[in-house]
Amino acid sequence: MKKIVLMPAIAGGMVLAGALASVTAAPPADRASPLRVGLMAVADPAGGFQGLVEVSITNTSRHTARVPKWQLPSSLVESKLFQISRDGVAVAYQGPMIKRGLPQAEDFAILRAGETLRSVVDLSKAYDFSQSGEYVVALNSALQFASLSDGTMLRQGNGLPQVAKSAPLSLWVAGKGQTAGAQGKPSGGGSSVVGGVSYKSCSATQIDSIGSAVTAARGYAENAKGYLNAASVGPRYTTWFGAYTSARYSTASQHFVAIDAALDQSNGEVTVNCGCNQKYYAYVYPNQPYEIYVCRAFWTAPLTGTDSKAGTLIHETSHFTAVAGTDDHVYGQSGAKNLAITDPASALDNADSHEYFAENTPSQN
């Protein structure tokens, strides 16, 4: 158990005191998200803190809001929705990084005008609270695909998604050395090595399909690395990574050198786990290279081309902190193209941008 001490503090107008802290964010003045966020630490009866926070999301607009469920906090941490630091140093997210397709009707949460959605989130399932120190926790969730019932998409002036933010919550935590644990992780099942790749819970047919995808992904990675090594700066680069600067170009090149090296491993280091039955494509735990969990959408994807099996392996490999440590700022080609135009630095940190650059469909120079 970790002890929590809530020291009286003032930060941005927020006062924390006693055994419970509650804050509510003031929305930005320009094109603010209609979702108001409240964040509260949940202490146990003994005054301990084990990573539980209560989050309230209130729709302040006059219209019903539709928001993808994965962009809202829930009891199951499946997205990197929080920014957490300890003594001023960022605490890495250790939960699943998921490649998702475009949301379907059942993927949206519905918040009527004035309605509040409350959930208790166990942050210790995805962030490391094992060390003592002053932690600062804030929700920071991009609202891609979210809209209001009057047809308004929740976007900023530059076309990027609006962001649901809370004010920062400051906590003193006395850690006890317990690290974050993986949640919802499928069992390993039977394991085998075929063609230099390890497989868990995969049938012979699945192993054959994945083997072809690994070969194609290696080809994609080699081609992308070669393009960047040749110092090419054509539409292929600018479409997915934005305007050229030498520093950003160098980062893209380093990423694909690392992706290529990771996928080229042939002594069972790369593991594909077929035990996932979720609807998305695949996911990884970024601090657990090089195991990739493939899910239902993976099996119906084409071998190559846009949102392909091979591209999915590029996407997920880029997430590993030992490779490129990418995030999921936006999903889909449209979102990735706009991200390159408006925020090239984030495009270089976006897994789908790396996938689409590698797939290069339609082909660009």
Side-chain angles (χ1 to χ4, degrees):
M1 179 188 296
K2 297 176 283 291
K3 295 292 290 182
I4 177 173
V5 180
L6 302 183
M7 302 298 292
I10 298 178
M14 174 182 62
V15 178
L16 304 180
L20 198 63
S22 178
V23 295
T24 301
D30 183 33
R31 299 182 70 90
S33 165
L35 302 185
R36 188 181 66 220
V37 182
L39 187 61
M40 182 170 66
V42 179
D44 65 24
F49 178 69
Q50 297 183 343
L52 293 178
V53 294
E54 182 179 297
V55 187
S56 61
I57 308 288
T58 302
N59 177 11
T60 65
S61 77
R62 295 175 296 171
H63 305 281
T64 298
R66 298 173 71 249
V67 185
K69 294 175 183 176
W70 67 75
Q71 295 169 3
L72 299 174
S74 70
S75 59
L76 189 62
V77 182
E78 288 191 325
S79 300
K80 185 181 176 182
L81 302 183
F82 293 84
Q83 290 181 335
I84 301 177
S85 65
R86 182 187 66 253
D87 298 331
V89 178
V91 176
Y93 173 75
Q94 299 177 7
M97 301 293 292
I98 299 169
K99 174 173 168 60
R100 304 178 187 273
L102 299 179
Q104 305 301 308
E106 65 270 18
D107 297 320
F108 286 91
I110 307 299
L111 281 81
R112 295 181 295 274
E115 184 178 2
T116 297
L117 175 68
R118 299 182 187 276
S119 59
V120 174
V121 182
D122 187 354
L123 296 176
S124 70
K125 294 292 181 73
Y127 298 88
D128 185 2
F129 285 88
S130 64
Q131 299 184 47
S132 299
E134 183 176 354
Y135 286 74
V136 177
V137 178
L139 181 79
N140 190 72
S141 176
L143 303 174
Q144 189 183 16
F145 309 118
S147 65
L148 299 179
S149 56
D150 65 352
T152 302
M153 300 299 295
L154 301 189
R155 294 173 180 162
Q156 303 176 49
N158 60 8
L160 290 178
Q162 289 184 352
V163 179
K165 293 183 178 181
S166 73
L169 175 64
S170 297
L171 306 165
W172 175 263
V173 178
K176 294 295 183 182
Q178 298 170 323
T179 57
Q183 55 175 357
K185 191 173 180 180
S187 59
S191 180
S192 59
V193 178
V194 180
V197 176
S198 296
Y199 295 93
K200 293 182 180 179
S201 303
C202 299
S203 68
T205 300
Q206 289 172 327
I207 289 173
D208 184 63
S209 178
I210 294 167
S212 297
V214 169
T215 299
R218 288 169 173 165
Y220 272 157
E222 184 67 32
N223 178 271
K225 182 180 74 171
Y227 177 99
L228 294 164
N229 284 347
S232 306
V233 190
R236 179 179 178 182
Y237 176 84
T238 57
T239 295
W240 304 116
F241 295 129
Y244 171 86
T245 69
S246 60
R248 289 200 294 261
Y249 195 92
S250 176
T251 297
S253 181
Q254 293 168 15
H255 284 182
F256 276 99
V257 167
I259 291 169
D260 182 59
L263 287 171
D264 275 349
Q265 297 176 105
S266 58
N267 290 315
E269 296 92 343
V270 175
T271 299
V272 180
N273 191 316
C274 302
C276 171
N277 194 37
Q278 300 296 324
K279 65 182 294 183
Y280 29 76
Y281 286 85
Y283 67 94
V284 299
Y285 291 94
N287 64 334
Q288 298 176 24
Y290 298 92
E291 186 165 4
I292 300 172
Y293 300 81
V294 293
C295 307
R296 286 177 4 220
F298 178 88
W299 302 113
T300 58
L303 177 63
T304 58
T306 301
D307 292 315
S308 62
K309 290 183 176 73
T312 295
L313 297 179
I314 296 285
H315 175 117
E316 295 302 337
T317 301
S318 77
H319 278 317
F320 292 122
T321 53
V323 179
T326 60
D327 204 339
D328 288 314
H329 295 280
V330 296
Y331 291 107
Q333 282 198 338
S334 178
K337 287 178 180 178
N338 188 57
L339 189 66
I341 294 169
T342 56
D343 191 354
S346 291
L348 280 168
D349 187 45
N350 190 55
D352 256 2
S353 302
H354 288 72
E355 175 178 342
Y356 297 139
F357 177 83
E359 289 172 338
N360 193 27
T361 306
S363 179
Q364 298 183 98
N365 294 325

